[in-house]
Amino acid sequence: MYRRNLLLSAVAALLVSTIAPVGPALAQSGDRTGLYTYPGPGTVNTHWIETPGGGLVVIDVQRDLAHAREALAAARATGKPVRAILVTHGHPDHYVGLGVFKEAFPNAVIWSSETTSETIRTDPYGFNKLVQEFDPANAPTVFTLPDRTFGGDTTLEIDGLQIVAREMGKAEANSGTAYYVPSTGDLYVGDLVLNRLHALFGESSTSEWLTALDRLDILFPNARVVHPGHGASGPKERLLADQRDYIVTTRRLALAEYVRAGDTPAAKAAANRAIIARFPYENPAGLRDIVAISVDGLFAEFAKPALAPVK
Ligand SMILES: [Zn+2]
């Protein structure tokens, strides 16, 4: 129950971002890839890849209808039709806009892992309800689900483009999928990597997250550019190293306070201050207290028997 409350508070805070004004689209199309995002709190990425067949594969579709419509407009500006939409994980800032894209491109196939699709459909964390309650006019009445799912690892062939999908397991979310384009070396990782933005440890799974980063490195040795769920794309080595450092360092800072003073408000406040001092980052979701939420998640992780301090 505690974990559920933790996640609910995380998502409730996530929704704060929807009050932020919809900013200007910063579409930047490279040779084959494009991006819609916007500056400031609540920033989240919608990426796309141009296919050999003249279409687009879109990855993740924004947290609310207004931003999804802007992302759609940016994708439309390429003049290419959306052939498919890939969802990286079951957090609402990545799937709420599915219906907007599906309505505009009814023939586009929405893909996700079974876990992600089931998370959207059954809503075990109450995300969908929160999205609707927070800003009904900016939320779908019915959440569009993926059309097709894969159980684990698969290779998709979409409009002449090969995309390798690898399920990365529990880390930032209850599961997440990495999508890799072998022909270009582009690797789309959802929120397994956030480029110099605060991460969310609501799942109390930083150990698994570190393993997932190592798996990304090993599974995709030829990946050149990592495209995160939040923050700018960049070279694989730097982005993976930065994310690893953020997790290891924040965890040590929090653990020091946990060992010193136990699971207390004072220890959490001290951990919060230490993390913000070490990483003066923006947050990716307009989370008023993202670090405090993550400290709660870290302390819950520390309380697991394998990590509990010796009495
Ligand atoms: Zn996210």
Side-chain angles (χ1 to χ4, degrees):
M1 196 60 199
Y2 172 73
R3 168 152 317 160
R4 186 162 187 274
N5 288 339
L6 187 65
L7 281 161
L8 280 175
S9 68
V11 171
L14 268 165
L15 298 173
V16 169
S17 63
T18 60
I19 62 173
V22 175
L26 299 178
Q28 55 174 44
S29 286
D31 287 348
R32 302 163 305 269
T33 64
L35 169 70
Y36 163 82
T37 192
Y38 46 95
T43 179
V44 55
N45 296 334
T46 292
H47 296 281
W48 59 81
I49 316 162
E50 297 181 5
T51 63
L56 299 181
V57 174
V58 170
I59 300 110
D60 290 343
V61 287
Q62 298 295 320
R63 67 179 65 257
D64 55 45
L65 300 182
H67 284 106
R69 290 185 192 112
E70 286 204 345
L72 175 67
R76 274 191 192 282
T78 65
K80 298 172 186 293
V82 176
R83 305 279 197 215
I85 301 151
L86 313 179
V87 185
T88 58
H89 63 291
H91 281 171
D93 48 331
H94 301 263
Y95 67 72
V96 165
L98 283 174
V100 170
F101 278 77
K102 189 70 177 178
E103 189 181 350
F105 294 100
N107 294 327
V109 178
I110 305 172
W111 287 93
S112 82
S113 70
E114 282 173 11
T115 305
T116 293
S117 182
E118 278 303 285
T119 302
I120 301 170
R121 188 180 70 81
T122 63
D123 197 21
Y125 299 104
F127 292 157
N128 297 348
K129 195 161 170 284
L130 277 167
V131 166
Q132 287 169 328
E133 286 173 356
F134 182 78
D135 188 359
N138 210 9
T141 50
V142 176
F143 287 81
T144 300
L145 299 173
D147 301 302
R148 295 194 205 164
T149 61
F150 42 88
D153 300 341
T154 193
T155 298
L156 306 173
E157 299 280 347
I158 301 169
D159 202 29
L161 187 71
Q162 187 183 77
I163 302 174
V164 176
R166 288 286 178 271
E167 199 63 359
M168 303 304 295
K170 187 173 177 174
E172 193 262 354
N174 62 346
S175 193
T177 309
Y179 296 100
Y180 177 59
V181 184
S183 60
T184 62
D186 288 297
L187 179 60
Y188 296 83
V189 296
D191 289 359
L192 287 174
V193 175
L194 304 92
N195 192 350
R196 305 204 173 179
L197 293 157
H198 284 298
L200 183 64
F201 299 141
E203 290 282 353
S204 300
S205 299
T206 57
S207 294
E208 292 90 336
W209 195 333
L210 289 169
T211 303
L213 293 175
D214 285 341
R215 279 190 69 219
L216 279 179
D217 201 14
I218 293 164
L219 284 170
F220 306 110
N222 298 320
R224 294 183 305 106
V225 178
V226 162
H227 301 277
H230 304 263
S233 303
K236 182 186 85 166
E237 284 71 23
R238 183 175 71 72
L239 264 63
L240 291 186
D242 276 2
Q243 190 62 52
R244 215 175 265 125
D245 177 61
Y246 180 90
I247 295 170
V248 169
T249 305
T250 54
R251 193 163 71 167
R252 284 188 67 89
L253 291 169
L255 186 59
E257 302 303 333
Y258 179 81
V259 170
R260 203 179 342 262
D263 189 352
T264 62
K268 287 183 174 178
N272 194 336
R273 284 193 299 273
I275 291 169
I276 290 170
R278 173 65 184 78
F279 296 102
Y281 288 175
E282 283 276 351
N283 71 64
L287 285 176
R288 191 177 61 256
D289 296 319
I290 186 172
V291 176
I293 294 163
S294 285
V295 168
D296 284 346
L298 286 169
F299 275 44
E301 189 171 353
F302 298 153
K304 291 176 185 175
L307 294 174
V310 176
K311 299 276 185 195

